[in-house]
Structures are given as structure tokens and as C-alpha cells.
Amino acid sequence: MRTDKCIPDIATALREAGVRDGMTLSFHHHLRDGDFVVNRVLDALETLGVEGMRIALSSVFPVHEPLIRHIKSGLVRSLDTDYVSGPVAKAISSGILAQPVMFRSHGGRPRAIGEGSLHIDIACVAAPCVDGLGNINGSGGPSACGSLGYILPDAAHAGRVIAITDFVSKEPLRSISIPHSSVDYIVKVDTIGDPAGIVSGSINLTRDPVAHAIARNAQAVIRASGLLRDGFNYQTGAGGASLAASQYLREDMRRMGLHGGFLLGGITRYMVDMLEEKLFDAIFDVQCFDLHSVRSIAENAAHHEISADSYANPGRKSCYVDFLDVVLLGASEVDVNFNVNVHTDSNGMLIGGSGGHNDAAAGANMTIIVAPLVRARLPIVVERCTTITTPGASVDVLVTERGIAINPARAELAARLKEARLPLYSIEELRAMALNITGTPKKLALSDQVVGLVEYRNGTIIDSIYAIRDS
Amino acid sequence: MRTDKCIPDIATALREAGVRDGMTLSFHHHLRDGDFVVNRVLDALETLGVEGMRIALSSVFPVHEPLIRHIKSGLVRSLDTDYVSGPVAKAISSGILAQPVMFRSHGGRPRAIGEGSLHIDIACVAAPCVDGLGNINGSGGPSACGSLGYILPDAAHAGRVIAITDFVSKEPLRSISIPHSSVDYIVKVDTIGDPAGIVSGSINLTRDPVAHAIARNAQAVIRASGLLRDGFNYQTGAGGASLAASQYLREDMRRMGLHGGFLLGGITRYMVDMLEEKLFDAIFDVQCFDLHSVRSIAENAAHHEISADSYANPGRKSCYVDFLDVVLLGASEVDVNFNVNVHTDSNGMLIGGSGGHNDAAAGANMTIIVAPLVRARLPIVVERCTTITTPGASVDVLVTERGIAINPARAELAARLKEARLPLYSIEELRAMALNITGTPKKLALSDQVVGLVEYRNGTIIDSIYAIRDS
């Protein structure tokens, strides 16, 4: 018999779900810096008087600043996340949490959820569109964000699932991201997010000449690698050099008459354009970065939503990253062993996290790190990364505006790039070039308080993050 | 890094999957009486020399007759299924298996798989269409069968998953039923099934006057029930009276200008026609019964494939059957307590199984059993069912060609039908009418060998099935 899943407000839904001290509540970040749901739920928890909660939020944005207050009050005891930016990152670096943040990758998170090491008591879904049965998608409603890929594993495994929505469709949804069979409660609120913060209206190509110089070098590496052929599968982030490199790739593919396989990951208009131009067969989308991709995923049958589990969980029979030919990824630091840091900057300050970095790097045939040789008067190439996000074994090439370094373990690739007469250097040479510009930076002084643990995608803790010492 | 999942033949795939004595292998029945996959896998197991296997096959058809030989040889020790017909049913009734068959419902099966009580070592997917990554759907290829709903829980939970296919798409699939992240191996064979047996080219309406008389009475019950209103959700099987009743319902909905919610379950052209006529918003399809529905699920965005888990698993937060207003179901026997038998006939011979019978009956607001008063010179209404498939508590109305009986627990419904001046009788009166035609049947003599256990959808064993005594 049908039971009405609609609950008048978030606090009541949490109470119905049996919320109590010390539970783990999970959230996702598809509404990005426009998300209202995390803060609303924290406020509701406050009215309920619970404490010691673990918050498993796939990525933390500046909008989530109220977390700081709730950490200070004891409502929130620990964080489990793949990426942290903004005021919360700064607060973590200052040592606000007694318990280290568990940093996972986008593939490690569904692995941990599936295997039970991250047990979720209550999953709170920021649900742009819900129907009367409780089916959810991200494509409808005023707060449409497209793919809901990161919360699908949570919805499948959580003890209780609450859909928090601002749009209930009268008709059954045609496209279903989370089936009603996983949903316990539906709470209708006035709005779940600020459209201006949910997605950038559009992400624009950079004019920065350094980014373009990096992109040209990346283009040359891809061309020379032998991987650019029919069926080519590709992923890149939304950084300036990456986007520019993708434009150059697009030109190459047109000129060469190539037909690619799929585009993967977080999706921008530039990928949608390539799909619509039929340069690629499909997009597999775990997160939409802009309104173009939100529209595309709703309308184009070749633009698929995928779960973080299919995207990158190393415990599955295969995941999409396994089929990548090339991925372009950023770095705050690359060390002489090709280890990459995207968690902290060279001052030790928390600025991000793996996201899908170490997943895509592990999966791709060729992982290219694109970065300027020097950033904020500090060298990108360092002796040892402040934090290791992605082990050097997964990294094939570092591309900067001044030169290219190949992981010595990749002799065949080195031979190809050498033959193409690319500006190749050893990583130590790139480091020397950078130091020549910046001078030797003073040694970083960190406290011995561990504020974060870096879990590699397979579950191994590969590094710790330390509090910034008061200066 | 990508690994090639393609394996040259079934035996090699089974060996790679680590097959050994006593394991549980699972299969699905979407290829129905045209399925070649079960028999091919059994032959491969024979060449590997394993024994004592448990075969979990969602439904057994006449084509699966070779199972008998493999049971006799010791290769197959036990069966776990929702429905058995044809020679295997007869062999089970004769006591061929030392261990009773575990009979589940279509919703109980995914419950058992999800909770681990039915652990599947190797799931063998009869996969009409596979892409290079290992994604699977049922809509493409020469053996297209549409929905793959019954094997989705198996693919999600099995230790190893083998896709056996006769069609590998060069492009990534646009519609994905089973994601590659669940698939270990792909075996390409010449053909996975006989299209003539996979689906009936079309299922035709009966001209049997008894079926139409039953259907007219069912139509009158639905009309009088008060449930036929906008948003009406409906399920029916493919039996003659049910299909005819659906045609009458369609006429009623047209005349009344009603707009229904969804159609559910195993799908025929008559449901597709109603969807295309926009009498309903959506079809939720766990199995396609004919070529019209196979075409429709591939082309019509309002015709959805659903998992058996979402369809009917009582352990989920909700399932589709929970939202049914009316379901029409058949019976081989209905007893005076409204219990229904669809497992055995009145001679005790195994003739089927629950399928979704006790699931839909439990979920729907009104469960109507449609059956002739007398069948094969035996009364349909009996003192006590030979086997209980669906407890009387889930059954609201028995509709025959001669009269209608309402479960005494449904006083409000009885009042409505009485007001509509329908030919109402007590179930005992219907029984007396039937006996008046047939005379008192001789008492059934069964052996005391238990050949089947009937598990209700929630996991409770509610009845046993006994071997037919040699006569």
C-alpha cells in the first residue's frame, strides 16, 4: 500500500529518520556554491539538539561557511569529503576540528560506502525534481543542476534517504536518477539553492598567455603520444589551461577527421559542443559545471548521467576512468617523483582535495599534469609535495609553459615525444628552471596537529595534512 | 587501465569466474521460451565437470527441459525460481530433486538477493546488446527482448557477472540497463535465443465468451470501486480475461475522459496502445511480452525499464506495486478464505508460481482475481487451496463469469458494489454454484515428499508443494 512520503519540514523528516547523536549524514555538491540544503539541514539538526555528527559531503564550498559555527558548537564532530574550498578549508587548516578530516577521492567515496567503511545513516539529497512516488532527477525544476552522480551511491546504501526539493512533478519522471524505492521521505521547501551559485552561466576560455602556452604543449604531447585516434576517450577539468587544450584538441580532431569515443567527468559547454559536433559519441557526466551541460544532459540522449560508482570506484568490475586514453589534470605542486598535490598549497594551506584526480590518473593511459612552472612566486615543481594526492606512479607527463617532463618509467612515451622534437626536460631541470625564477623558498613550518588524512582511492591512507602554525 | 573483458567461450568465462562445485549461478527469463543461454551454460558446466550447482533462474520455460538431464546427472542440485512451466515443472512434481525448489515471488527474489539470503556466485546475463565497455541493454541486437528488469538485482550483487551476447555495439550504448561497472566478462556467441520464442509476435485478444463475461464483471467492479479516477495506476497480466478487461477499461477511460498515472508489470501491446493514446503517463516495465512492447521501450521515453527491485521488493523504501490502484490477477484455485493458488492445479501438479502475484496483490488498493467458476471440470473455488501463493488478506474480490465475491474484510468496497447492483455472492455461494456443475471432486492424494517451498515476498515460508503420487 502506498504511504505518503511527504513530510512538512526538514527537522520532522530527520526525527522520523531516527536521527541521534553521532550519526553520519551525507550530502552532495551538485548545487555547488549555490547549495542551501547542507545549511538548512544543519540548522534543523541544531533545533533538534543533537551533537557529534559526522558530515559526509562530497565537496565543501564557500557557501558552507556555517559548518564552522556548527563545528565550534559540537554539533559537527567530523567531516568526510573529497574536496574543501573557502572559509571551511581555512578553518580546517587552522585546526578547528579535533578529529582529522577524512579526505577521499570521488571513486574512493563510493568504494567506502559500498564496502561499509563509510556507513551513512541518513542521506540528504538536494533534489531538483521529485515526483509523487519519490523518484528524483536533477534535470527538472527551478534548481536544475543536471547530473546527480555523486549522491547515487549514498542513496543506494544509506539507512534513510530524505529528498529535499523545491519542485514536485505531477507526472512520473521520465528520467530517473534515484528510484523511489531508495527514498524514504520527501520534504518540499521554498528553494534548495541559488541558481546563480549552482552553475556558472558559462565558463569562458581564458586569454592568459601562460595558460595557452601550457595548452599548446599539452596539445603537442597528445598529438605525439599515438593515443589520438578513432575511439579516443578523454577527460579534463575546467581549469584555464585544460579548457584551452581541449579547444586545440578539438581543432586537431576536426583536421584529422577523427571520431572520438567518450568525454568523461565534470562537464562544461566545451565538451557539449564537441558532442554536438559529433566529434565524440557520448558524454558520461558525473557533474554539470554550467548551464549548457545542464540543458544538454536533459535533452541529448548521448549525454548520460553516471554514478560516481561507475565513474571511478576501483572496487567495481570496471569504471569509466579505466577506459580513458588521456586525462588532463591540474596541480598545486608536482614533486621530482611525479607525485601531485591538489590538497594544499606550498604554504600548507588546505585548498582543495582529490576530487577525481587520483582516480582519473590511475585509470588513464596517459595522465598529463598541466601547470605553470611558477605560481604566486613559488615553484610548482618541488622536492617533495607538501601533501600527496596522486602518487607519481599514475602520472605520465608534466606539461608547463616552459617545458615538458616525462616520468622516467615511460620510456616508450619519451621516445615518441623526443621524435616529435618537443621541449623535453628532466623534472629536476624543470625544478631548477623554476628555482631560478623564484629563488629557494623558505622551508615550510607546519604544526604537528593532523587536520586531515588523505585516503587513496583504494582505501590506503597515503598522507596526512597538518595544521598551519600560527605566524 | 582498461582490461579486455572479452572471453572466447562460456566455459572459459566460467573458469575465469572461479566456478566450482556447489556454487549458485543465476539467470533471467526475458528471452522466455526462446532462451538459449541457460542450456548453453549448463552444457559448459558439464564440460567443466562441476556438480551440485544451485540454479537461480527467475522463471523456467519449456525450452529449459535439458535441466532435467542435468538434475539427474548431479550437475544441478537445486533450483531457486519464481515460476516453472513445461517439462521441468512436471519433473519437479514427480520428485526429481532431492532438495525442494525454493519458490520466490518476483519481489521476494531481489529481497533475498539484496539481504544476502540468496547469494549469487555467478550471474549469467542473456545480453541482447553489449558495448565495448561491457554496458548492457535489452533493446538492441537481433535477440532484443526489451526490459532486463529481473536480472538487474543479480548483476548488482553477484560475485561475478558474465554477459553472454550475440551483438556487440561499436558505439557506447545510449540506453544502459546494466552498467559496465557490474560486468566482469563478455562472451560473444552466435545467438542467445530464438526470436520466435523470445516474444510472441503479438498477443491477441481472446474471443472466448467466458473470458469476456469475466472481463465485463471486472470492468463493472473497477467502475463501481471509486478507484477509477485521474492518476489511476493499473497492472494486469496477459491472460485472456485480463486483456479483455483492459480493453473495457480503456473504453471507460476514453468515455469518462480520464487520464491515468502508470501501467506496470509485464507489458503487452494493449498497454503500449494505451500509453500511445495518452490514456496513461507512463509504463514501468519489468518484462516485455511482445514485439510491440520491445519496440516501445526502445523508442518511447515514457516507457521505462524498471528493476525487479523497484518493481516489487518489499524490503525497499517503496516499490511500484505499492502505488497500484487496481491489479487483475489469475488463479488456478481460490479458497473460501480468499487465498489464491497459482503454483499448482487442483491435481497438485506444479503449473507455475507466484511471479509478481503476491507482490502486486499486497501492493494494490484493490486486488481482483479473475477466473472462470469451473476449469477442466474442476471448481475454481475450493475449501482450501492445494498451495497458497497469495494470502487471502491481500485479495479483495473474486470475479467469475457467474458472479462476484468480495472479501468480507472489505465492507466499504462491498457497499459500493452493492449499490452498483453487481451480481454479488458470498464466496461459499460461488463454491456451491461451482460444485453444482462439477459435482464433488475426489480428494487429492499427494505423496509426503516436499518438492517445493513457497516463500512469501517478505521471506516467510507459507506453504509446501508435494510430489504427485504415482497413480
Side-chain angles (χ1 to χ4, degrees):
Chain A
M1 293 297 182
R2 88 183 64 190
T3 49
D4 191 2
K5 298 181 178 180
C6 292
I7 302 279
D9 59 76
I10 295 173
T12 308
L14 289 166
R15 207 164 39 219
E16 289 275 328
V19 73
R20 47 173 208 275
D21 292 354
M23 273 190 166
T24 299
L25 271 68
S26 93
F27 302 86
H28 58 122
H29 71 282
H30 295 94
L31 299 184
R32 303 178 64 78
D33 207 28
D35 172 52
F36 291 164
V37 167
V38 172
N39 295 339
R40 295 273 179 102
V41 171
L42 289 168
D43 289 346
L45 290 168
E46 192 173 34
T47 66
L48 293 170
V50 293
E51 58 182 21
M53 316 307 281
R54 174 164 66 163
I55 301 299
L57 165 57
S58 49
S59 294
V60 180
F61 280 79
V63 71
H64 300 123
E65 181 167 7
L67 260 173
I68 298 171
R69 177 167 69 81
H70 295 297
I71 289 168
K72 286 181 178 162
S73 77
L75 170 61
V76 175
R77 178 180 299 157
S78 60
L79 282 180
D80 193 300
T81 186
D82 309 343
Y83 184 95
V84 186
S85 63
V88 177
K90 212 170 162 186
I92 292 168
S93 273
S94 78
I96 190 178
L97 277 157
Q99 197 170 318
V101 175
M102 178 61 90
F103 281 100
R104 307 191 195 261
S105 74
H106 282 338
R109 186 173 194 276
R111 189 214 79 250
I113 293 171
E115 77 192 12
S117 56
L118 172 54
H119 173 75
I120 296 166
D121 295 299
I122 303 173
C124 302
V125 183
C129 186
V130 176
D131 69 18
L133 283 65
N135 292 309
I136 298 172
N137 76 36
S139 296
S143 305
C145 62
S147 178
L148 296 177
Y150 291 121
I151 194 73
L152 303 188
D154 311 46
H157 289 95
R160 291 285 179 272
V161 175
I162 303 174
I164 298 163
T165 190
D166 51 17
F167 183 74
V168 178
S169 163
K170 289 205 196 309
E171 294 189 7
L173 299 190
R174 294 211 165 187
S175 148
I176 295 171
S177 303
I178 300 174
H180 66 88
S181 47
S182 294
V183 177
D184 294 279
Y185 312 108
I186 303 167
V187 182
K188 174 93 161 46
V189 296
D190 53 346
T191 172
I192 60 170
D194 172 9
I198 293 173
V199 282
S200 315
S202 63
I203 288 171
N204 289 312
L205 278 175
T206 180
R207 291 183 183 176
D208 171 22
V210 173
H212 277 273
I214 298 168
R216 284 289 181 199
N217 278 340
Q219 175 191 26
V221 169
I222 295 172
R223 253 193 226 154
S225 68
L227 294 168
L228 188 55
R229 56 191 176 221
D230 280 329
F232 175 76
N233 299 326
Y234 181 64
Q235 177 172 349
T236 181
S242 295
L243 285 183
S246 299
Q247 289 304 99
Y248 296 138
L249 171 73
R250 181 179 180 181
E251 290 162 11
D252 279 349
M253 290 181 73
R254 279 180 192 153
R255 200 179 43 248
M256 298 163 74
L258 282 185
H259 186 75
F262 64 74
L263 295 160
L264 182 64
I267 302 302
T268 61
R269 66 173 297 176
Y270 300 102
M271 293 187 169
V272 171
D273 288 347
M274 288 198 274
L275 179 69
E276 291 178 352
E277 197 183 329
K278 313 247 185 255
L279 287 175
F280 285 86
D281 282 330
I283 290 177
F284 296 110
D285 184 338
V286 73
Q287 178 185 5
C288 296
F289 282 133
D290 59 24
L291 291 172
H292 291 79
S293 32
V294 172
R295 177 187 48 73
S296 170
I297 202 171
E299 294 173 3
N300 190 336
H303 186 159
H304 301 268
E305 174 183 65
I306 58 169
S307 164
D309 191 60
S310 291
Y311 170 47
N313 179 352
R316 304 298 284 149
K317 280 72 185 294
S318 59
C319 49
Y320 281 98
V321 296
D322 295 339
F323 297 93
L324 283 171
D325 288 293
V326 174
V327 64
L328 261 57
L329 297 167
S332 65
E333 295 176 328
V334 181
D335 72 23
V336 294
N337 295 311
F338 286 84
N339 298 310
V340 178
N341 178 12
V342 289
H343 275 90
T344 52
D345 66 17
S346 293
N347 299 316
M349 179 67 75
L350 182 63
I351 54 159
S354 174
H357 199 288
N358 66 38
D359 300 302
N365 271 327
M366 181 169 69
T367 298
I368 302 176
I369 304 297
V370 289
L373 195 62
V374 171
R375 188 189 277 136
R377 279 166 296 167
L378 288 170
I380 287 290
V381 185
V382 295
E383 187 62 33
R384 194 197 175 286
C385 283
T386 308
T387 310
I388 295 179
T389 308
T390 298
S394 298
V395 175
D396 300 281
V397 193
L398 168 63
V399 171
T400 73
E401 75 282 17
R402 300 285 293 271
I404 298 163
I406 304 171
N407 187 325
R410 304 295 186 278
E412 201 216 1
L413 180 63
R416 284 173 181 272
L417 301 199
K418 205 166 175 183
E419 200 183 345
R421 298 174 182 280
L422 301 192
L424 302 185
Y425 298 90
S426 73
I427 190 112
E428 290 82 4
E429 285 170 334
L430 286 185
R431 170 153 168 75
M433 266 189 234
L435 287 174
N436 202 29
I437 297 165
T438 62
T440 305
K442 65 171 185 187
K443 212 163 165 69
L444 184 62
L446 292 169
S447 91
D448 57 5
Q449 183 194 347
V450 174
V451 299
L453 297 172
V454 180
E455 184 197 70
Y456 185 58
R457 64 196 298 252
N458 67 1
T460 310
I461 302 296
I462 55 169
D463 212 342
S464 300
I465 299 173
Y466 295 89
I468 299 280
R469 188 178 282 178
D470 294 329
S471 55
Chain B
M1 292 296 183
R2 89 183 65 189
T3 50
D4 191 2
K5 298 182 180 179
C6 292
I7 303 281
D9 59 76
I10 295 173
T12 310
L14 290 166
R15 209 163 38 221
E16 290 275 327
V19 73
R20 50 174 205 275
D21 292 353
M23 273 189 164
T24 299
L25 272 68
S26 92
F27 302 86
H28 58 123
H29 70 282
H30 296 94
L31 299 185
R32 303 179 64 80
D33 206 30
D35 174 52
F36 291 165
V37 168
V38 172
N39 295 340
R40 295 271 179 101
V41 171
L42 289 169
D43 289 345
L45 290 168
E46 191 173 34
T47 67
L48 294 170
V50 292
E51 57 183 21
M53 316 306 283
R54 174 164 65 163
I55 301 299
L57 165 57
S58 48
S59 293
V60 180
F61 281 79
V63 72
H64 299 123
E65 180 167 7
L67 260 173
I68 298 171
R69 178 168 66 82
H70 296 296
I71 289 168
K72 286 181 178 162
S73 78
L75 170 60
V76 174
R77 178 179 299 156
S78 60
L79 283 180
D80 193 300
T81 186
D82 307 345
Y83 185 95
V84 186
S85 61
V88 178
K90 212 168 159 185
I92 292 168
S93 273
S94 77
I96 191 177
L97 278 158
Q99 198 169 317
V101 175
M102 178 62 90
F103 282 99
R104 305 190 196 265
S105 74
H106 282 338
R109 188 174 192 273
R111 188 215 78 249
I113 293 171
E115 75 191 12
S117 57
L118 172 53
H119 173 75
I120 296 166
D121 296 298
I122 303 173
C124 301
V125 183
C129 187
V130 176
D131 68 18
L133 283 63
N135 292 309
I136 298 171
N137 75 36
S139 296
S143 305
C145 62
S147 178
L148 297 178
Y150 291 122
I151 195 72
L152 305 188
D154 310 48
H157 289 94
R160 292 285 178 273
V161 175
I162 304 174
I164 298 164
T165 189
D166 51 17
F167 184 74
V168 179
S169 163
K170 290 207 194 310
E171 294 189 7
L173 299 189
R174 294 212 164 185
S175 149
I176 295 170
S177 303
I178 299 175
H180 65 89
S181 48
S182 294
V183 178
D184 294 279
Y185 312 109
I186 303 168
V187 182
K188 174 93 160 49
V189 295
D190 53 346
T191 171
I192 59 171
D194 172 10
I198 293 172
V199 283
S200 314
S202 65
I203 289 172
N204 289 310
L205 278 176
T206 180
R207 291 185 183 175
D208 172 23
V210 173
H212 278 273
I214 298 169
R216 283 290 180 200
N217 278 340
Q219 174 191 27
V221 169
I222 296 172
R223 250 193 228 154
S225 69
L227 294 168
L228 188 55
R229 55 190 176 222
D230 280 330
F232 175 75
N233 300 326
Y234 180 64
Q235 176 172 350
T236 180
S242 295
L243 286 183
S246 299
Q247 289 303 100
Y248 296 138
L249 172 73
R250 182 178 179 181
E251 290 163 10
D252 278 350
M253 289 180 75
R254 279 181 192 151
R255 199 179 45 249
M256 295 162 75
L258 282 184
H259 186 75
F262 64 74
L263 295 160
L264 180 65
I267 302 301
T268 61
R269 67 174 295 177
Y270 301 102
M271 292 185 170
V272 171
D273 287 346
M274 287 197 275
L275 179 69
E276 291 178 353
E277 197 182 330
K278 311 243 186 264
L279 288 176
F280 285 86
D281 283 331
I283 289 176
F284 296 110
D285 184 338
V286 74
Q287 180 186 3
C288 296
F289 283 132
D290 60 24
L291 292 172
H292 291 81
S293 33
V294 172
R295 176 188 48 72
S296 171
I297 202 171
E299 294 174 3
N300 190 337
H303 186 159
H304 302 267
E305 175 183 65
I306 59 168
S307 165
D309 191 60
S310 291
Y311 169 46
N313 179 352
R316 305 297 285 150
K317 280 70 183 295
S318 59
C319 49
Y320 281 98
V321 296
D322 295 339
F323 298 92
L324 283 170
D325 289 293
V326 174
V327 65
L328 260 58
L329 297 167
S332 65
E333 296 176 328
V334 182
D335 72 22
V336 295
N337 295 312
F338 285 85
N339 298 310
V340 178
N341 178 13
V342 289
H343 275 89
T344 52
D345 66 16
S346 293
N347 299 314
M349 178 69 74
L350 183 61
I351 54 160
S354 173
H357 198 289
N358 66 39
D359 301 301
N365 271 328
M366 180 168 69
T367 298
I368 301 176
I369 304 298
V370 288
L373 195 62
V374 170
R375 189 189 276 137
R377 279 166 296 166
L378 288 170
I380 287 289
V381 186
V382 295
E383 187 61 35
R384 194 196 177 284
C385 283
T386 308
T387 309
I388 295 179
T389 307
T390 298
S394 298
V395 174
D396 300 282
V397 192
L398 167 63
V399 171
T400 73
E401 76 281 18
R402 301 285 292 273
I404 298 163
I406 305 170
N407 188 326
R410 304 298 185 279
E412 200 216 2
L413 180 62
R416 284 173 181 270
L417 301 198
K418 203 166 178 185
E419 200 182 345
R421 299 174 181 280
L422 301 193
L424 301 185
Y425 298 90
S426 73
I427 189 112
E428 290 81 5
E429 285 170 332
L430 286 185
R431 172 155 168 73
M433 266 190 234
L435 286 175
N436 201 29
I437 298 166
T438 63
T440 304
K442 67 172 183 182
K443 212 162 166 68
L444 183 63
L446 292 169
S447 91
D448 57 5
Q449 182 193 347
V450 174
V451 298
L453 297 172
V454 179
E455 185 198 70
Y456 186 57
R457 64 196 301 249
N458 67 2
T460 309
I461 302 296
I462 55 170
D463 212 340
S464 301
I465 299 173
Y466 295 89
I468 298 280
R469 188 178 282 180
D470 294 327
S471 55

